[in-house]
Amino acid sequence: MRNSNLYKKYVRPHRGSRTGPWRLLFGTKRALQSVFSAGLLALDRLRFALGRDDIKLLYAQTDSINFDITCINLLRRPDKRQFIEKQLDGAGFNFKIFPAIDGLEIDTDQLIKDGILAPDNFCPATGIPLIPAQIGAYLSHYELWKATLNSPNKVSLILEDDALLVCDKPTLEEFVRHIPADTDLFFINRRKNKIKHISLHASKFACDFWGLTAYFLTKQGAEKLINLALPIYTSADESISELNKSGMINCYCSRQELVVECSNSKDAQNFRFASDIIDRTGE
């Protein structure tokens, strides 16, 4: 269920502001899409109910749902920190802010000497070596992967500071309860990536995917990433996508999009912040 108050407050108005026949056209289109989506969901409910449910889950139905929440935020972006804090405070979550490793302050030559950054690192999206901001983002996520191993909880939620929560707390917890047992990462912001539904709550990526705006990380997933993540050859999301495609990690995503990214300039409806990392050209 979408948290409508947060959504109205932080997401810029888009097609709903149009008037006349255009408003009617777009309103009709959205209504048809909603009916179509509801129909598909009803069919899937029947299909999964009639079929044998042999998907083992990470949590038993009697387990309490507890998870850490940590948001990555650059110290020079207090506006984005305020943006995420208002949401999480308002939704009743306990969370921590992790001061991001700033690409403006890292020494790439030293990282190469230390074996952390591969000399031939490359970003397929841009066709050039990784820029410092991408390296800083990668290292920030890496630090939180290490922190997950020390958590008393089965999963940890890692957010970037351009995440907009579009569900309430009970809905998020309901999806966490249905995370498959073999999950390493469970994304709740799946963007426009192609997916294949496996249950009423979870889907598998059907191709390459990108974006680390919001995801749950299990302890087994954290251990795998720590062992496989260095040296850095490409961006963090490209690396995770490749590991998933090769079968070295298991990535799932929520069937319902629970978080919206607000720094993609090509998404006029949700755009609010310019990206601190890189402008994407392939979306």
Side-chain angles (χ1 to χ4, degrees), residues 161-208:
D161 57 9
D162 57 353
L164 172 62
L165 191 68
V166 291
C167 70
D168 57 19
K169 188 175 183 180
T171 299
L172 183 60
E173 292 175 344
E174 176 71 9
F175 277 85
V176 174
R177 184 173 294 283
H178 290 85
I179 292 177
D182 64 343
T183 297
D184 293 318
L185 293 92
F186 187 81
F187 292 83
I188 57 175
N189 166 236
R190 55 183 173 80
R191 298 167 69 176
K192 295 181 180 180
N193 297 306
K194 294 181 180 179
I195 58 174
K196 178 182 179 181
H197 303 315
I198 64 166
S199 74
L200 292 176
H201 294 85
S203 303
K204 290 275 292 185
F205 290 108
C207 61
D208 294 340

Side-chain angles (χ1 to χ4, degrees), residues 53-59 177-183 252:
D53 185 10
D54 53 4
I55 299 176
K56 294 183 178 180
L57 301 179
L58 188 64
Y59 289 90
R177 184 173 294 283
H178 290 85
I179 292 177
D182 64 343
T183 297
Y252 294 88

Side-chain angles (χ1 to χ4, degrees), residues 58-59 66-70 72 96 98 140-159 183-185 215-226:
L58 188 64
Y59 289 90
N66 298 297
F67 50 86
D68 307 305
I69 302 178
T70 307
I72 300 171
K96 296 178 181 178
F98 175 79
S140 297
H141 282 273
Y142 180 78
E143 289 300 316
L144 295 187
W145 300 342
K146 292 193 295 183
T148 296
L149 290 179
N150 299 320
S151 170
N153 299 313
K154 290 185 178 182
V155 295
S156 297
L157 176 58
I158 297 174
L159 299 172
T183 297
D184 293 318
L185 293 92
Y215 61 95
F216 283 94
L217 180 63
T218 65
K219 287 184 177 294
Q220 66 182 17
E223 188 170 4
K224 289 180 183 179
L225 289 178
I226 291 168

Side-chain angles (χ1 to χ4, degrees), residues 24-63:
L24 177 62
L25 174 62
F26 287 121
T28 302
K29 181 180 178 181
R30 284 196 300 272
L32 290 174
Q33 288 173 337
S34 297
V35 170
F36 181 70
S37 298
L40 288 179
L41 183 58
L43 288 175
D44 272 353
R45 286 187 185 279
L46 179 61
R47 178 164 63 92
F48 289 125
L50 294 177
R52 179 184 173 186
D53 185 10
D54 53 4
I55 299 176
K56 294 183 178 180
L57 301 179
L58 188 64
Y59 289 90
Q61 286 301 311
T62 55
D63 287 348

